[in-house]
Amino acid sequence: MPKQPPIETGHEDGSWFLEAVGARPRSPRPSETLAALERENALESDLRSAESVMGLPEQDTHDADNARSESEFISFHGDPGTSTSSFDPIPPPPVAPPGLFRDSGTDEPLDSEALTGTMFSPIDETDLSRPLRSGRRFRWPAVILVLMLIAIAAVAVWLVPQAMEQQALTVRQHNYDASLAIRTYIPTSQEALDSVTNPESDGDVGDAVPVISSLSSLGRDLSLAAVEPLPIAVPLLSLGSTQDLESLTQRSTLLAEDTAEIARRLGHGYVYRTSIPELLTPGDLPAEASGVDIDELTIQLASSLADDAGVVVDLPDDPAFAPTLALASSTLEQYTQWQVVYLEALSNADEDAVTDALSQFESLRHDLAQTNTEDLLTLRSELDVRLVSLASELDSHLVDLSR
């Protein structure tokens, strides 16, 4: 016969059949008994914690003992080695904050309104540390920093206008001094203009050179004063010395350019006055000559032609001397052709041809000198008007700078 499995202890009476068909509740297994015990312990711990926090009355000692007895009884059903001894002693609940329970000595918890009023009542400052009891809302370092910034701003507000005023006065003074120097030098410049452009002037034309150089230097000084840095415009700060300062310096620039232009053109006049008379000056031109003298004269005329070509090339380009410059260039070409005719007449000993050649040479010199004189007078008229106008503008400019 096949062996039957052994019948578990406690089921010899056939109770296993009744449990199988549902006629009798099944006995708990050891694992289920252990799980039930753990749930009861956790429930009891949560209950005690809630009672300690909310101030609920503790459960009756008798009920707690019954529950513990029942737990112990359940724990020994199929769970040997597990007992409530592993959970003992139960730690006491934390002490409730003062005021959570009423002062009447009863264990009745506060209602919601009383609880809210107690928990959110004003904090006693005597229970706080000194930094928390202090009513100061700021830190001294921040206050010191703010005061320093205010002091710096105040000093800047006081110093910036002073610096602006001083810088503006310096710019005005430099422009005034440079303008006054030019205005004072205009009469001297007019004298130099007369000596350069007047053919009948008794003065030495060479004396005009330092005057022209000084006038050019004065114009350069005014231009440097006009480009000096202006005070930086600061909002809400309007100083009398800085008003119209930019327009004044711009006018100084224009006056400086006008001065430099007058000096430059006066220098051009000096060049034409001294250079044109040097053209066509080969020396003595004989009416007759021998073969040896003709060879020497040929070299002399060639050297003169080369020198004259260099002078014409160096003549400045000025509108007043445009006729003279054009005539000097054409005269130089005629001078080249004239030398051939003159030397040939000498070689042939043709007195009439030599006389005609010498007459033509003098005509070239006269025409060139006459045209140059007329252009010098034109320059004199132009520069004289510009000097008078410059003097008037400088007078007005000085008045504006001195305000």
Side-chain angles (χ1 to χ4, degrees), residues 168-378:
L169 291 176
T170 301
V171 173
R172 281 177 174 266
Q173 187 65 44
H174 289 172
N175 281 265
Y176 184 90
D177 294 341
S179 300
L180 181 62
I182 296 175
R183 178 64 183 88
T184 305
Y185 206 71
I186 285 181
T188 305
S189 301
Q190 289 175 326
E191 295 177 359
L193 176 62
D194 179 71
S195 65
V196 169
T197 59
N198 186 4
E200 300 178 357
S201 176
D202 297 334
D204 187 3
V205 179
D207 294 340
V209 175
V211 176
I212 297 171
S213 178
S214 298
L215 184 62
S216 178
S217 298
L218 293 176
R220 183 167 54 254
D221 293 341
L222 182 57
S223 65
L224 293 177
V227 296
E228 289 186 4
L230 301 179
I232 300 176
V234 179
L236 304 180
L237 291 179
S238 178
L239 302 177
S241 59
T242 61
Q243 294 178 355
D244 300 331
L245 188 58
E246 184 176 359
S247 62
L248 291 175
T249 55
Q250 291 177 354
R251 186 190 298 178
S252 294
T253 301
L254 296 177
L255 294 175
E257 293 176 355
D258 197 10
T259 303
E261 179 67 12
I262 293 174
R264 186 178 66 85
R265 296 197 64 188
L266 187 57
H268 292 172
Y270 172 80
V271 172
Y272 277 91
R273 173 67 186 271
T274 58
S275 297
I276 296 300
E278 294 180 357
L279 296 177
L280 306 179
T281 56
D284 294 336
L285 297 176
E288 57 183 14
S290 62
V292 177
D293 295 335
I294 293 175
D295 293 339
E296 293 179 356
L297 186 59
T298 302
I299 297 174
Q300 180 181 346
L301 291 175
S303 177
S304 173
L305 180 61
D307 293 340
D308 291 349
V311 172
V312 173
V313 170
D314 292 337
L315 289 176
D317 187 10
D318 189 278
F321 294 95
T324 301
L325 181 59
L327 182 59
S329 299
S330 63
T331 300
L332 194 62
E333 296 176 358
Q334 295 177 20
Y335 185 41
T336 303
Q337 298 173 1
W338 175 87
Q339 290 184 8
V340 175
V341 174
Y342 172 67
L343 293 173
E344 184 179 356
L346 287 176
S347 299
N348 297 330
D350 188 350
E351 296 181 0
D352 294 336
V354 172
T355 302
D356 292 339
L358 293 176
S359 177
Q360 183 181 4
F361 180 76
E362 292 298 328
S363 177
L364 291 176
R365 285 176 53 87
H366 178 270
D367 292 343
L368 186 59
Q370 183 66 29
T371 303
N372 187 45
T373 300
E374 293 175 357
D375 291 346
L376 286 171
L377 294 176
T378 302

Side-chain angles (χ1 to χ4, degrees), residues 54-96:
M54 300 302 296
L56 299 177
E58 299 181 356
Q59 294 181 357
D60 188 79
T61 306
H62 179 71
D63 295 339
D65 294 341
N66 291 339
R68 187 176 296 107
S69 300
E70 183 178 357
S71 299
E72 293 176 355
F73 175 77
I74 296 175
S75 65
F76 281 100
H77 280 282
D79 188 17
T82 303
S83 67
T84 58
S85 61
S86 61
F87 297 94
D88 293 330
I90 299 174
V95 180

